[in-house]
Amino acid sequence: MDHGPYPFGFADDDYRQLLEQVRDRDLLADLEHLAGLANELAAIAEAQQRIILEFADDDTPGGNRAVAEILLADTLRKLEASRFEFDRRLGLYLRTAGHPLARRFPPADDSLRERIRAVKAAWPIDRFVEVVLGADLTPTKPGQWTCRCPLPWHEDRTPSFVVFGEGNTAKCFGCLRGGDVLDLTKYAFGLDRVYDQLAQLERLAGIGKRGRS
Ligand SMILES: [Zn+2]
């Protein structure tokens, strides 16, 4: 079965392996729909980010860049929602089935949402990139900065890394990695699990452990 491109940053094999665990045909169809939707949204976001960069010097209200920025923020919200729903549904199924792969999908419960909200509030994206990743940010316009890519394994000779204050995201147009503070924590510290990313961000922000061992 060809699943097409692999959404949500899964490696090819991981994605196939995950979906092969799903015996519920309706759920599988829903997951593949969500994955297809995410791939379309990711392609749209790429195009919108290209427009924003292309019209970087254009400050016209309602101009190409202004419109692309509004559309991009909307696309990123939809992409986040589809990723959240994909993880929630697949994670719930795998946990119910007692499958070891379920470890990759922590429960999408309120306490997790609250912890994510708290670390995002503690670490606005520009502050995280500057303080934690040690980047030297150059403002390009209100709420947007560039710098050389601060992520490991990318020797960036020109500033390819763009920080989007409004969407609270960042992206490297050289190595194509990016996302929110959790994604950047994954790349910067090699932490694949959301719980590990949260713990790292909480530690860096001095947020208490909330009774977790
Ligand atoms: Zn990079």
Side-chain angles (χ1 to χ4, degrees):
M1 189 178 359
D2 181 15
H3 295 300
Y6 306 100
F8 312 124
F10 285 127
D12 179 337
D13 287 348
D14 288 351
Y15 181 64
R16 287 176 187 281
Q17 200 187 353
L18 282 167
L19 288 198
E20 276 165 13
Q21 310 307 317
V22 179
R23 306 289 175 215
D24 178 327
R25 281 174 168 276
D26 289 342
L27 175 61
L28 190 58
D30 287 349
L31 290 173
E32 293 195 327
H33 172 74
L34 282 167
L37 181 67
N39 281 330
E40 285 171 26
L41 288 168
I44 292 168
E46 294 269 2
Q48 288 162 343
Q49 280 168 333
R50 275 198 301 276
I51 292 170
I52 290 167
L53 286 182
E54 188 180 338
F55 291 92
D57 296 330
D58 177 13
D59 284 326
T60 315
N64 287 312
R65 191 186 70 191
V67 171
E69 281 170 356
I70 293 165
L71 294 175
L72 175 62
D74 187 51
T75 306
L76 291 176
R77 269 193 296 275
K78 288 176 183 163
L79 186 57
E80 180 73 13
S82 71
R83 175 162 69 181
F84 190 86
E85 186 59 17
F86 183 96
D87 283 2
R88 190 186 70 78
R89 298 204 59 185
L90 180 56
L92 184 64
Y93 175 82
L94 292 176
R95 275 194 302 282
T96 306
H99 197 279
L101 283 172
R103 283 199 311 271
R104 290 184 52 143
F105 297 90
D109 59 17
D110 288 343
S111 72
L112 183 68
R113 281 180 198 238
E114 169 53 28
R115 288 178 72 192
I116 291 173
R117 192 205 59 75
V119 296
K120 286 189 173 184
W123 286 114
I125 194 83
D126 55 310
R127 193 163 161 270
F128 179 84
V129 171
E130 253 185 336
V131 174
V132 178
L133 303 185
D136 208 2
L137 292 181
T138 303
T140 50
K141 50 159 285 186
Q144 192 170 304
W145 302 264
T146 61
C147 61
R148 292 189 184 191
C149 181
L151 299 174
W153 317 114
H154 181 196
E155 293 291 330
D156 196 13
R157 292 173 191 281
T158 58
S160 308
F161 198 82
V162 182
V163 176
F164 302 98
E166 191 188 336
N168 225 13
T169 59
K171 169 154 183 164
C172 178
F173 288 84
C175 65
L176 300 180
R177 291 176 295 179
D180 59 17
V181 283
L182 290 147
D183 294 314
L184 296 186
T185 300
K186 170 175 71 180
Y187 296 126
F189 298 98
L191 299 171
D192 287 332
R193 295 175 66 245
V194 170
Y195 278 142
D196 293 337
Q197 295 157 15
L198 277 171
Q200 175 76 328
L201 287 164
E202 287 168 348
R203 190 181 64 74
L204 290 167
I207 296 173
K209 281 201 160 187
R210 296 154 191 263
R212 285 185 174 78
S213 58

